[in-house]
Amino acid sequence: MDVSPELAAKIATLARLRLDADKLERFAGQMGDILKYMETLAAVDTTGVEPLYGPVAHVAPTRPDEATRTCSRDEVLHNAPETDGRFFIVPKIV
């Protein structure tokens, strides 16, 4: 599938990207290449192939979810612009 610069501009707008004309041309070409590759993958016969959910057949190790204190209150408040000694003081926006 060919992607026109106009379509690339629309996609860039949806992604909140500001691209100049040169970059839109390159972006359109790259998107077209990706879509062509996806078409190639879609054409591969996968009949009888089991889905692969992960390359490793073992369960990932986990650790218990335990709350721990890693910093003291003074360490946390040290870089705050303003505190009362116990809490951050947040300016009120009027």
Side-chain angles (χ1 to χ4, degrees), residues 43-93:
V44 174
D45 180 20
T46 57
T47 307
V49 177
E50 290 292 320
L52 178 65
Y53 295 105
V56 182
H58 62 75
V59 178
T62 58
R63 61 177 169 75
D65 188 14
E66 298 172 358
T68 60
R69 208 175 275 259
T70 58
C71 298
S72 69
R73 182 182 299 270
D74 291 334
E75 289 173 316
V76 171
L77 295 176
H78 178 72
N79 289 323
E82 191 175 356
T83 73
D84 66 0
R86 292 187 61 208
F87 302 104
F88 296 106
I89 296 179
V90 180
K92 293 183 180 179
I93 299 174

Side-chain angles (χ1 to χ4, degrees), residues 10-74:
K10 185 174 181 177
I11 293 168
T13 301
L14 291 172
R16 297 184 179 176
L17 300 174
R18 290 190 183 114
L19 303 175
D20 59 27
D22 283 346
K23 288 187 180 177
L24 279 174
E25 286 286 335
R26 189 170 58 176
F27 189 52
Q30 290 172 345
M31 287 179 51
D33 291 343
I34 291 168
L35 292 174
K36 285 177 191 168
Y37 185 65
M38 292 298 115
E39 288 172 358
T40 301
L41 290 177
V44 174
D45 180 20
T46 57
T47 307
V49 177
E50 290 292 320
L52 178 65
Y53 295 105
V56 182
H58 62 75
V59 178
T62 58
R63 61 177 169 75
D65 188 14
E66 298 172 358
T68 60
R69 208 175 275 259
T70 58
C71 298
S72 69
R73 182 182 299 270
D74 291 334

